Amino acid sequence: MKLYQYIISGAVSLSLCFSSCDDWLDVTPIDTRTSENFYQTPSQLEQAIIGIYNGLMPLSEYSWVMSEIRSDNVWVPYKLGKQRDYVDIACFNSNITTISTISSAWNDLYEIIARANLFLSKVDQVEFAADLDPVKKQFVGEARFLRGLAYFELVRYFGRIPVILEPVSIEEAMTIRQSEIVEVYEKAIIPDLEEAVKFLVDEPLNYAGKTASAGRATLSAAKSLLGRVYLTMAGFPVQDESKKDLAKTLFKEVIDYSDANNNKFWAKDMDEWNKMWISENDNKYHIFEIQYIAANGYGNPMVPASVPSVSPIYTTVKLLGNTVYCERSLDKIFTQKDENDEFIDQRCHGTIETGNMVDEDGKPYTGEDFYVKLFEHNVKRKELGYSDISSQIVDRNYFPTNYPLIRLEDVMLMYAEIAGPTTEGKGYVDRIRTRAGLPKLDQNITPTNFADSVDVERRRELASEGIRWHDIVRQGRFKQLLQDMFKRYATEGSETYDLYLRVKDDTYLYPIPDAQMKVKEGLYEQNSAYK
């Protein structure tokens, strides 16, 4: 059973516990007395935990728009005067302080934090049976995992942010200033994820000590996320090289766990790899994922935002029709063919559409290639042997495709990036490459060429999953790569060509949303690119 099927039944109770705030400063419950009465039993405590998970649901869209679209994996044609959030973000418009995507991301991530803070302030008052004390600790680990994840997203997007680790009143919130980036890691993210590693298990239980519903954070998820945090800190802008060894150790533990448990999280061949993105394969291949179902308000919002208009053959619902395409340099890598006119990289068909579709009028699609990895359309399901679920997807908010936040392949490639061209490093890259039909790396590959190979492999394997922007930022390469992309798409002197001038050293961060800047004069300092 998917996690969010349980949330629907618990939503009424949760509404008593958490505010439906419009901004993060409104973090106190609507009725404190009701909130205190709610946190009385292990069952109610679990409902509160599920409520924190529920806060993850919008994150797939932010990952797509604020990370993937911002990167050199996606090309958005520039149209002067076209006021769309995703266009402004893709084209590095500096006037984005008021757009809804950025303010919603800030608010939704702080809502997760507010829910986790409330939970952690109440958990000690709930008594568990002595033999279920590990379950109570697991719940604490889940709350801290989710809060650490939210702070990690915030610090990567916004840089200097306020850190709040307990419920506060609006008056108190008005006095909390931004912490420096390193402080956010050291005060919030690392302590939370270290506690998550301490308390989480790989087979989560529910409040009664029975197997929990799918989708809960696990020990492998906590280790993977903490490793990613350390690797991020080793790069730009923190640049703490000492964190690499810590990351490497955690990644190795996750990989070894997978190997020791019948290759858990691993799709053994391309047939399984393609089926990985079908909603029936719930919680099977991803170490941690945001879960969705075909129900009003519980579908994956990233899906309709990532696909242009298509024929009813693929889906009868109206998508957003965004002009978002696979960037040409990546497209060229994916679409290389062998002597039999077959794609050399067998992930190509499952990742991007290369001209086989027809448009919404039934004519052959003639636009640029676009991502279909997470687009669970009727033709894909039929090709892979799954039943038609079009009757369940009644509008674009109903797509049930889960969104991966951590995959084993990501962990393997992060490990390889740190390990370099060692036997293990090359072995993990080759495991991914050979499954995709690519040859193994040259055994005598140089460190520089190996680093390039890992980067290309991450770009292909993790395309459209919101990883690329964060990769090129921590590697300190975003400015050059994005400037080159704009120049590659247009002739010198054109409006599109000149977009490269917008990509500056400090545009690796988004602006603090304008609404937050106006909460109290002088409380926050705006990021330098948006002053």
Side-chain angles (χ1 to χ4, degrees):
M1 180 176 68
K2 282 199 176 187
L3 179 63
Y4 292 107
Q5 289 175 299
Y6 182 48
I7 289 176
I8 292 174
S9 64
V12 174
S13 297
L14 288 168
S15 68
L16 299 175
C17 302
F18 306 117
S19 67
S20 56
C21 55
D22 292 327
D23 63 59
W24 78 270
L25 288 175
D26 185 10
V27 293
T28 52
I30 296 173
D31 185 333
T32 301
R33 177 177 54 80
T34 302
S35 173
E36 290 175 350
N37 291 339
F38 178 79
Y39 285 88
Q40 298 296 315
T41 67
S43 175
Q44 290 176 339
L45 203 64
E46 183 160 42
Q47 288 184 62
I49 277 286
I50 301 300
I52 308 175
Y53 282 102
N54 193 23
L56 297 176
M57 299 189 74
L59 268 57
S60 68
E61 186 170 10
Y62 306 141
S63 180
W64 169 251
V65 178
M66 296 174 68
S67 178
E68 201 70 14
I69 282 180
R70 188 76 157 182
S71 78
D72 61 341
N73 271 2
V74 173
W75 174 249
V76 175
Y78 178 61
K79 296 180 180 179
L80 189 64
K82 187 177 179 67
Q83 297 298 308
R84 298 287 294 276
D85 285 11
Y86 79 94
V87 177
D88 285 337
I89 286 172
C91 297
F92 283 78
N93 190 339
S94 61
N95 299 317
I96 55 174
T97 59
T98 61
I99 67 175
S100 61
T101 297
I102 292 174
S103 60
S104 294
W106 176 284
N107 293 339
D108 288 337
L109 287 164
Y110 270 110
E111 178 67 15
I112 293 170
I113 291 166
R115 295 181 183 190
N117 286 345
L118 181 59
F119 175 90
L120 292 168
S121 74
K122 301 291 186 181
V123 65
D124 286 341
Q125 72 185 35
V126 180
E127 295 292 332
F128 277 66
D131 61 332
L132 293 179
D133 186 61
V135 175
K136 184 176 183 178
K137 291 180 178 177
Q138 173 200 305
F139 286 1
V140 171
E142 290 179 83
R144 298 200 67 168
F145 172 88
L146 293 168
R147 187 173 70 177
L149 170 63
Y151 271 120
F152 186 42
E153 294 293 283
L154 282 163
V155 79
R156 290 193 296 174
Y157 286 134
F158 300 105
R160 298 172 64 251
I161 56 171
V163 172
I164 304 97
L165 299 175
E166 59 186 19
V168 296
S169 67
I170 294 177
E171 292 74 19
E172 290 170 325
M174 290 288 191
T175 68
I176 301 173
R177 296 186 175 275
Q178 294 153 293
S179 293
E180 298 298 325
I181 290 175
V182 173
E183 290 178 322
V184 179
Y185 281 106
E186 293 179 345
K187 289 165 55 178
I189 300 170
I190 292 175
D192 272 349
L193 295 180
E194 285 179 339
E195 286 295 289
V197 169
K198 184 186 302 183
F199 291 141
L200 289 178
V201 295
D202 273 310
E203 300 295 335
L205 302 176
N206 66 12
Y207 74 94
K210 298 180 180 179
T211 301
S213 55
R216 307 281 282 269
T218 64
L219 177 58
S220 291
K223 288 180 176 180
S224 300
L225 182 57
L226 182 55
R228 180 182 286 169
V229 165
Y230 285 142
L231 181 59
T232 301
M233 294 181 72
F236 178 82
V238 178
Q239 296 178 321
D240 182 354
E241 283 281 332
S242 68
K243 295 294 192 290
K244 280 189 176 180
D245 284 342
L246 297 173
K248 183 180 178 183
T249 297
L250 289 164
F251 294 148
K252 189 64 167 62
E253 289 175 1
V254 173
I255 297 168
D256 287 348
Y257 170 81
S258 170
D259 290 344
N261 286 270
N262 197 30
N263 291 317
K264 189 174 183 178
F265 313 122
W266 178 252
K268 68 178 182 296
D269 53 34
M270 284 309 301
D271 181 59
E272 278 202 45
W273 189 91
N274 284 305
K275 291 178 178 178
M276 184 190 305
W277 315 104
I278 297 296
S279 52
E280 276 86 344
N281 291 305
D282 173 42
N283 210 48
K284 182 176 181 180
Y285 296 106
H286 306 326
I287 294 175
F288 187 69
E289 62 192 8
I290 304 174
Q291 297 201 314
Y292 299 96
I293 58 174
N296 187 27
Y298 290 89
N300 185 342
M302 174 266 186
V303 175
S306 64
V307 181
S309 297
V310 297
S311 164
I313 295 172
Y314 303 97
T315 180
T316 58
V317 304
K318 185 175 179 59
L319 304 175
L320 292 175
N322 291 347
T323 53
V324 284
Y325 306 113
C326 180
E327 195 275 333
R328 288 174 188 167
S329 66
L330 178 57
D331 186 270
K332 185 177 180 179
I333 295 171
F334 265 128
T335 56
Q336 292 175 340
K337 293 187 175 182
D338 60 21
E339 61 276 8
N340 298 316
D341 202 36
E342 299 288 342
F343 293 124
I344 296 173
D345 190 330
Q346 295 174 21
R347 291 167 294 194
C348 180
H349 179 62
T351 304
I352 60 174
E353 171 54 43
T354 58
N356 296 318
M357 281 192 171
V358 294
D359 65 19
E360 57 188 338
D361 297 320
K363 299 176 181 178
Y365 174 78
T366 57
E368 297 188 52
D369 295 348
F370 59 91
Y371 289 103
V372 292
K373 181 188 282 183
L374 288 113
F375 179 25
E376 195 166 345
H377 57 75
N378 297 336
V379 176
K380 176 193 287 189
R381 289 186 60 88
K382 184 176 181 180
E383 286 178 350
L384 296 174
Y386 290 90
S387 61
D388 187 339
I389 60 169
S390 56
S391 62
Q392 300 175 41
I393 305 177
V394 298
D395 69 33
R396 62 178 176 240
N397 298 311
Y398 277 63
F399 281 97
T401 317
N402 293 343
Y403 190 82
L405 293 182
I406 305 169
R407 287 208 285 132
L408 180 64
E409 292 86 344
D410 184 12
V411 172
M412 288 177 170
L413 291 169
M414 286 190 289
Y415 180 92
E417 181 179 331
I418 299 169
T422 60
T423 299
E424 280 188 321
K426 289 186 290 187
Y428 293 137
V429 178
D430 285 340
R431 191 190 300 188
I432 295 168
R433 285 177 59 86
T434 55
R435 180 183 61 186
L438 301 176
K440 291 184 177 181
L441 298 173
D442 187 330
Q443 288 302 301
N444 297 316
I445 192 170
T446 67
T448 298
N449 289 341
F450 180 77
D452 290 341
S453 295
V454 172
D455 181 65
V456 171
E457 204 56 42
R458 287 183 64 77
R459 198 178 179 198
R460 289 194 282 203
E461 176 66 30
L462 305 172
S464 83
E465 297 176 43
I467 300 291
R468 179 65 175 175
W469 171 251
H470 298 304
D471 273 356
I472 62 178
V473 167
R474 68 176 172 79
Q475 293 165 355
R477 301 191 303 138
F478 79 94
K479 179 181 176 182
Q480 189 64 58
L481 288 172
L482 271 298
Q483 286 186 343
D484 289 347
M485 182 185 76
F486 288 123
K487 293 177 182 179
R488 191 163 55 242
Y489 267 82
T491 57
E492 186 172 356
S494 67
E495 289 176 339
T496 296
Y497 184 95
D498 286 345
L499 291 175
Y500 88 90
L501 296 170
R502 296 181 176 184
V503 188
K504 302 175 181 178
D505 291 334
D506 50 4
T507 52
Y508 73 95
L509 292 176
Y510 284 94
I512 307 300
D514 187 63
Q516 299 304 318
M517 295 298 298
K518 293 178 178 177
V519 163
K520 181 181 178 182
E521 187 71 26
L523 182 63
Y524 299 150
E525 180 182 356
Q526 184 58 277
N527 291 325
S528 59
Y530 309 96
K531 289 182 178 179

